Amino acid sequence: MRVLNGVADEFKFRRIADNEIEELRCCGPRELLARLDVPLWKVPAIARYMRRLKTQHMRDIPLFPGVREMLLTLARKNLTLALVSSDHEANVRRQLGAQTAALFAYFDCGASLFGKAAKFKRVTKRSAVASTETIAIGDEIRDIEAARSAGIACGLVSWGYADPSVLRSHNPDFMFESMAEITERL
């Protein structure tokens, strides 16, 4: 959100006012694009630009507190961990750090705005874990949509980008309020 208006200027879409941020957290990706007057043909270039910005500012973007411990606990329970992201794999690995990244058996990164379902399907197939034993955990409406399209359960966290009440209204299979709740329920 810190850089969005600079990106808006660069790609000639509507800037947002500070008082709109909470309202925009309630939008799905298609609605967000429409409200910002972003044509679909610009989305790939904007995504590439945003990934470059993230790479430049990664040291200013910490993991949520407790992520490493939660992932380590899941790995100790012999769960197969996979990471699907819109970001580049190099960024994801750098953000996690080598020890935490090593907990993941599979990475499938670089998903387009509406491309996570295909990535979920591919990771599920590669892992040989049954789709009935698989859950995607995310923080956006598009994560719910992608998980459902891929035929896997969806869990959402209340502390990410999207407004938790909006996420709940999309009826995810699980809604997690804390890192500890993830490890307890899985």
Side-chain angles (χ1 to χ4, degrees):
M1 297 309 289
R2 287 187 306 220
V3 300
L4 188 58
N5 282 334
V7 177
D9 294 342
E10 178 78 19
F11 288 92
K12 310 292 188 249
F13 62 86
R14 187 177 75 73
R15 293 173 62 91
I16 62 165
D18 287 344
N19 64 346
E20 289 181 280
I21 292 172
E22 287 305 310
E23 183 180 327
L24 293 175
R25 289 181 65 221
C26 296
C27 298
R30 288 172 182 81
E31 183 182 356
L32 181 63
L33 293 174
R35 288 177 129 195
L36 297 178
D37 299 320
V38 177
L40 279 177
W41 66 267
K42 284 188 179 184
V43 170
I46 293 169
R48 283 190 301 274
Y49 185 81
M50 295 287 287
R51 286 183 191 126
R52 280 195 305 271
L53 283 176
K54 183 176 181 189
T55 301
Q56 293 168 5
H57 299 282
M58 192 161 324
R59 71 179 74 79
D60 302 326
I61 308 170
L63 293 175
F64 286 103
V67 167
R68 285 184 178 93
E69 295 79 9
M70 180 264 303
L71 293 170
L72 186 57
T73 301
L74 295 176
R76 284 183 181 147
K77 290 183 175 190
N78 292 320
L79 296 176
T80 301
L81 302 179
L83 197 143
V84 171
S85 176
S86 299
D87 201 357
H88 294 297
E89 185 174 334
N91 278 354
V92 170
R93 288 179 177 275
R94 191 175 310 120
Q95 189 85 49
L96 290 170
Q99 287 182 326
T100 304
L103 299 173
F104 288 88
Y106 304 94
F107 286 84
D108 203 334
C109 299
S112 67
L113 186 61
F114 302 107
K116 279 190 177 178
K119 302 253 182 212
F120 287 155
K121 288 176 185 175
R122 187 167 41 236
V123 165
T124 302
K125 185 176 181 179
R126 284 177 37 212
S127 72
V129 175
S131 59
T132 57
E133 297 293 319
T134 302
I135 182 171
I137 300 175
D139 68 346
E140 298 180 60
I141 294 168
R142 69 186 180 121
D143 295 325
I144 299 170
E145 294 168 348
R148 288 193 176 132
S149 178
I152 60 177
C154 57
L156 294 168
V157 299
S158 64
W159 58 85
Y161 165 74
D163 181 276
S165 63
V166 172
L167 295 176
R168 280 185 197 89
S169 74
H170 283 80
N171 300 312
D173 298 300
F174 298 91
M175 189 74 193
F176 300 108
E177 303 297 330
S178 69
M179 298 285 173
E181 189 177 354
I182 294 173
T183 58
E184 290 164 9
R185 296 193 67 190
L186 298 184

mmCIF file of all heavy atoms in Angstrom, residues 36-59:
data_model
loop_
_atom_site.group_PDB
_atom_site.id
_atom_site.type_symbol
_atom_site.label_atom_id
_atom_site.label_comp_id
_atom_site.label_asym_id
_atom_site.label_seq_id
_atom_site.Cartn_x
_atom_site.Cartn_y
_atom_site.Cartn_z
ATOM 1 N N LEU A 36 -9.926 1.037 -9.527
ATOM 2 C CA LEU A 36 -8.716 1.817 -9.784
ATOM 3 C C LEU A 36 -8.552 2.168 -11.268
ATOM 4 O O LEU A 36 -7.566 2.788 -11.649
ATOM 5 C CB LEU A 36 -7.475 1.074 -9.285
ATOM 6 C CG LEU A 36 -7.406 0.826 -7.784
ATOM 7 C CD1 LEU A 36 -6.151 0.048 -7.423
ATOM 8 C CD2 LEU A 36 -7.485 2.122 -7.002
ATOM 9 N N ASP A 37 -9.523 1.748 -12.075
ATOM 10 C CA ASP A 37 -9.478 2.001 -13.521
ATOM 11 C C ASP A 37 -8.238 1.398 -14.175
ATOM 12 O O ASP A 37 -7.570 2.036 -14.993
ATOM 13 C CB ASP A 37 -9.564 3.507 -13.823
ATOM 14 C CG ASP A 37 -10.843 4.125 -13.322
ATOM 15 O OD1 ASP A 37 -11.898 3.473 -13.443
ATOM 16 O OD2 ASP A 37 -10.781 5.254 -12.775
ATOM 17 N N VAL A 38 -7.925 0.158 -13.813
ATOM 18 C CA VAL A 38 -6.784 -0.553 -14.378
ATOM 19 C C VAL A 38 -7.298 -1.518 -15.439
ATOM 20 O O VAL A 38 -8.023 -2.462 -15.118
ATOM 21 C CB VAL A 38 -6.027 -1.354 -13.300
ATOM 22 C CG1 VAL A 38 -4.877 -2.151 -13.925
ATOM 23 C CG2 VAL A 38 -5.509 -0.448 -12.201
ATOM 24 N N PRO A 39 -6.940 -1.303 -16.701
ATOM 25 C CA PRO A 39 -7.351 -2.260 -17.729
ATOM 26 C C PRO A 39 -6.587 -3.576 -17.549
ATOM 27 O O PRO A 39 -5.423 -3.582 -17.148
ATOM 28 C CB PRO A 39 -6.967 -1.583 -19.045
ATOM 29 C CG PRO A 39 -6.132 -0.418 -18.702
ATOM 30 C CD PRO A 39 -6.207 -0.172 -17.236
ATOM 31 N N LEU A 40 -7.245 -4.693 -17.849
ATOM 32 C CA LEU A 40 -6.623 -6.006 -17.661
ATOM 33 C C LEU A 40 -5.305 -6.158 -18.422
ATOM 34 O O LEU A 40 -4.396 -6.836 -17.952
ATOM 35 C CB LEU A 40 -7.590 -7.118 -18.078
ATOM 36 C CG LEU A 40 -8.638 -7.515 -17.050
ATOM 37 C CD1 LEU A 40 -9.576 -8.568 -17.617
ATOM 38 C CD2 LEU A 40 -8.004 -8.004 -15.765
ATOM 39 N N TRP A 41 -5.189 -5.514 -19.567
ATOM 40 C CA TRP A 41 -3.980 -5.677 -20.355
ATOM 41 C C TRP A 41 -2.758 -5.088 -19.664
ATOM 42 O O TRP A 41 -1.622 -5.462 -19.966
ATOM 43 C CB TRP A 41 -4.150 -5.105 -21.771
ATOM 44 C CG TRP A 41 -4.343 -3.611 -21.848
ATOM 45 C CD1 TRP A 41 -5.522 -2.944 -21.873
ATOM 46 C CD2 TRP A 41 -3.313 -2.616 -21.925
ATOM 47 N NE1 TRP A 41 -5.315 -1.592 -21.949
ATOM 48 C CE2 TRP A 41 -3.956 -1.363 -21.987
ATOM 49 C CE3 TRP A 41 -1.929 -2.656 -21.955
ATOM 50 C CZ2 TRP A 41 -3.252 -0.168 -22.068
ATOM 51 C CZ3 TRP A 41 -1.227 -1.466 -22.039
ATOM 52 C CH2 TRP A 41 -1.888 -0.232 -22.100
ATOM 53 N N LYS A 42 -2.963 -4.191 -18.691
ATOM 54 C CA LYS A 42 -1.837 -3.600 -17.965
ATOM 55 C C LYS A 42 -1.387 -4.440 -16.769
ATOM 56 O O LYS A 42 -0.306 -4.226 -16.231
ATOM 57 C CB LYS A 42 -2.202 -2.195 -17.448
ATOM 58 C CG LYS A 42 -2.212 -1.117 -18.498
ATOM 59 C CD LYS A 42 -2.383 0.237 -17.854
ATOM 60 C CE LYS A 42 -2.371 1.342 -18.896
ATOM 61 N NZ LYS A 42 -2.441 2.677 -18.260
ATOM 62 N N VAL A 43 -2.202 -5.383 -16.350
ATOM 63 C CA VAL A 43 -1.924 -6.136 -15.116
ATOM 64 C C VAL A 43 -0.574 -6.862 -15.158
ATOM 65 O O VAL A 43 0.184 -6.776 -14.180
ATOM 66 C CB VAL A 43 -3.091 -7.094 -14.786
ATOM 67 C CG1 VAL A 43 -2.728 -8.044 -13.661
ATOM 68 C CG2 VAL A 43 -4.334 -6.284 -14.426
ATOM 69 N N PRO A 44 -0.202 -7.576 -16.223
ATOM 70 C CA PRO A 44 1.100 -8.259 -16.202
ATOM 71 C C PRO A 44 2.282 -7.296 -16.010
ATOM 72 O O PRO A 44 3.202 -7.586 -15.230
ATOM 73 C CB PRO A 44 1.168 -8.967 -17.558
ATOM 74 C CG PRO A 44 -0.266 -9.155 -17.948
ATOM 75 C CD PRO A 44 -0.978 -7.924 -17.423
ATOM 76 N N ALA A 45 2.252 -6.151 -16.668
ATOM 77 C CA ALA A 45 3.349 -5.184 -16.524
ATOM 78 C C ALA A 45 3.376 -4.593 -15.113
ATOM 79 O O ALA A 45 4.450 -4.407 -14.525
ATOM 80 C CB ALA A 45 3.214 -4.066 -17.568
ATOM 81 N N ILE A 46 2.211 -4.320 -14.568
ATOM 82 C CA ILE A 46 2.135 -3.794 -13.198
ATOM 83 C C ILE A 46 2.668 -4.835 -12.213
ATOM 84 O O ILE A 46 3.428 -4.500 -11.294
ATOM 85 C CB ILE A 46 0.692 -3.371 -12.849
ATOM 86 C CG1 ILE A 46 0.273 -2.170 -13.701
ATOM 87 C CG2 ILE A 46 0.555 -3.060 -11.363
ATOM 88 C CD1 ILE A 46 -1.216 -1.841 -13.638
ATOM 89 N N ALA A 47 2.298 -6.092 -12.413
ATOM 90 C CA ALA A 47 2.766 -7.161 -11.519
ATOM 91 C C ALA A 47 4.291 -7.289 -11.571
ATOM 92 O O ALA A 47 4.941 -7.421 -10.521
ATOM 93 C CB ALA A 47 2.103 -8.481 -11.890
ATOM 94 N N ARG A 48 4.864 -7.243 -12.772
ATOM 95 C CA ARG A 48 6.328 -7.310 -12.895
ATOM 96 C C ARG A 48 6.987 -6.144 -12.170
ATOM 97 O O ARG A 48 7.975 -6.311 -11.457
ATOM 98 C CB ARG A 48 6.745 -7.322 -14.374
ATOM 99 C CG ARG A 48 6.551 -8.649 -15.052
ATOM 100 C CD ARG A 48 7.202 -8.680 -16.437
ATOM 101 N NE ARG A 48 6.689 -7.656 -17.340
ATOM 102 C CZ ARG A 48 5.601 -7.804 -18.103
ATOM 103 N NH1 ARG A 48 4.916 -8.931 -18.067
ATOM 104 N NH2 ARG A 48 5.204 -6.842 -18.900
ATOM 105 N N TYR A 49 6.437 -4.965 -12.332
ATOM 106 C CA TYR A 49 6.966 -3.764 -11.689
ATOM 107 C C TYR A 49 6.873 -3.887 -10.161
ATOM 108 O O TYR A 49 7.828 -3.580 -9.446
ATOM 109 C CB TYR A 49 6.174 -2.553 -12.195
ATOM 110 C CG TYR A 49 6.674 -1.231 -11.707
ATOM 111 C CD1 TYR A 49 7.766 -0.616 -12.324
ATOM 112 C CD2 TYR A 49 6.062 -0.569 -10.643
ATOM 113 C CE1 TYR A 49 8.225 0.618 -11.886
ATOM 114 C CE2 TYR A 49 6.516 0.664 -10.205
ATOM 115 C CZ TYR A 49 7.594 1.249 -10.833
ATOM 116 O OH TYR A 49 8.048 2.474 -10.396
ATOM 117 N N MET A 50 5.734 -4.363 -9.672
ATOM 118 C CA MET A 50 5.545 -4.519 -8.229
ATOM 119 C C MET A 50 6.521 -5.555 -7.661
ATOM 120 O O MET A 50 7.043 -5.382 -6.559
ATOM 121 C CB MET A 50 4.104 -4.928 -7.909
ATOM 122 C CG MET A 50 3.053 -3.898 -8.262
ATOM 123 S SD MET A 50 3.023 -2.482 -7.168
ATOM 124 C CE MET A 50 2.301 -3.181 -5.709
ATOM 125 N N ARG A 51 6.776 -6.623 -8.393
ATOM 126 C CA ARG A 51 7.744 -7.633 -7.929
ATOM 127 C C ARG A 51 9.140 -7.024 -7.825
ATOM 128 O O ARG A 51 9.876 -7.311 -6.880
ATOM 129 C CB ARG A 51 7.753 -8.837 -8.863
ATOM 130 C CG ARG A 51 6.542 -9.720 -8.730
ATOM 131 C CD ARG A 51 6.654 -10.948 -9.637
ATOM 132 N NE ARG A 51 5.389 -11.635 -9.694
ATOM 133 C CZ ARG A 51 4.751 -11.942 -10.813
ATOM 134 N NH1 ARG A 51 5.261 -11.638 -11.987
ATOM 135 N NH2 ARG A 51 3.598 -12.570 -10.771
ATOM 136 N N ARG A 52 9.501 -6.191 -8.807
ATOM 137 C CA ARG A 52 10.820 -5.531 -8.740
ATOM 138 C C ARG A 52 10.899 -4.614 -7.528
ATOM 139 O O ARG A 52 11.911 -4.586 -6.827
ATOM 140 C CB ARG A 52 11.088 -4.744 -10.025
ATOM 141 C CG ARG A 52 11.565 -5.611 -11.173
ATOM 142 C CD ARG A 52 12.164 -4.800 -12.308
ATOM 143 N NE ARG A 52 11.293 -3.770 -12.835
ATOM 144 C CZ ARG A 52 10.418 -3.939 -13.813
ATOM 145 N NH1 ARG A 52 10.277 -5.111 -14.390
ATOM 146 N NH2 ARG A 52 9.681 -2.935 -14.233
ATOM 147 N N LEU A 53 9.823 -3.873 -7.268
ATOM 148 C CA LEU A 53 9.802 -3.005 -6.092
ATOM 149 C C LEU A 53 9.949 -3.814 -4.810
ATOM 150 O O LEU A 53 10.681 -3.427 -3.897
ATOM 151 C CB LEU A 53 8.501 -2.197 -6.030
ATOM 152 C CG LEU A 53 8.377 -1.001 -6.941
ATOM 153 C CD1 LEU A 53 6.982 -0.381 -6.804
ATOM 154 C CD2 LEU A 53 9.437 0.038 -6.631
ATOM 155 N N LYS A 54 9.248 -4.929 -4.748
ATOM 156 C CA LYS A 54 9.346 -5.767 -3.558
ATOM 157 C C LYS A 54 10.776 -6.261 -3.366
ATOM 158 O O LYS A 54 11.295 -6.281 -2.250
ATOM 159 C CB LYS A 54 8.381 -6.941 -3.629
ATOM 160 C CG LYS A 54 8.420 -7.771 -2.358
ATOM 161 C CD LYS A 54 7.428 -8.881 -2.354
ATOM 162 C CE LYS A 54 7.536 -9.644 -1.030
ATOM 163 N NZ LYS A 54 6.754 -10.853 -1.051
ATOM 164 N N THR A 55 11.415 -6.676 -4.450
ATOM 165 C CA THR A 55 12.797 -7.135 -4.370
ATOM 166 C C THR A 55 13.690 -6.039 -3.795
ATOM 167 O O THR A 55 14.528 -6.297 -2.930
ATOM 168 C CB THR A 55 13.311 -7.560 -5.760
ATOM 169 O OG1 THR A 55 12.475 -8.613 -6.252
ATOM 170 C CG2 THR A 55 14.743 -8.039 -5.709
ATOM 171 N N GLN A 56 13.494 -4.813 -4.234
ATOM 172 C CA GLN A 56 14.306 -3.683 -3.769
ATOM 173 C C GLN A 56 14.072 -3.353 -2.299
ATOM 174 O O GLN A 56 14.966 -2.872 -1.624
ATOM 175 C CB GLN A 56 14.020 -2.442 -4.613
ATOM 176 C CG GLN A 56 14.471 -2.550 -6.041
ATOM 177 C CD GLN A 56 13.911 -1.426 -6.905
ATOM 178 O OE1 GLN A 56 13.264 -0.512 -6.423
ATOM 179 N NE2 GLN A 56 14.162 -1.500 -8.200
ATOM 180 N N HIS A 57 12.868 -3.608 -1.804
ATOM 181 C CA HIS A 57 12.505 -3.197 -0.442
ATOM 182 C C HIS A 57 12.270 -4.378 0.500
ATOM 183 O O HIS A 57 11.669 -4.207 1.557
ATOM 184 C CB HIS A 57 11.247 -2.320 -0.496
ATOM 185 C CG HIS A 57 11.448 -1.071 -1.280
ATOM 186 N ND1 HIS A 57 12.104 0.022 -0.772
ATOM 187 C CD2 HIS A 57 11.117 -0.764 -2.556
ATOM 188 C CE1 HIS A 57 12.151 0.964 -1.689
ATOM 189 N NE2 HIS A 57 11.564 0.521 -2.786
ATOM 190 N N MET A 58 12.757 -5.543 0.131
ATOM 191 C CA MET A 58 12.446 -6.738 0.904
ATOM 192 C C MET A 58 12.876 -6.640 2.371
ATOM 193 O O MET A 58 12.186 -7.120 3.248
ATOM 194 C CB MET A 58 13.066 -7.968 0.274
ATOM 195 C CG MET A 58 12.496 -9.206 0.903
ATOM 196 S SD MET A 58 12.684 -10.708 -0.020
ATOM 197 C CE MET A 58 12.523 -10.273 -1.680
ATOM 198 N N ARG A 59 13.980 -5.994 2.639
ATOM 199 C CA ARG A 59 14.432 -5.904 4.032
ATOM 200 C C ARG A 59 13.472 -5.101 4.899
ATOM 201 O O ARG A 59 13.506 -5.188 6.113
ATOM 202 C CB ARG A 59 15.849 -5.366 4.116
ATOM 203 C CG ARG A 59 15.981 -3.887 3.787
ATOM 204 C CD ARG A 59 17.390 -3.369 3.908
ATOM 205 N NE ARG A 59 18.284 -3.768 2.855
ATOM 206 C CZ ARG A 59 18.331 -3.207 1.651
ATOM 207 N NH1 ARG A 59 17.517 -2.233 1.359
ATOM 208 N NH2 ARG A 59 19.164 -3.623 0.750
#
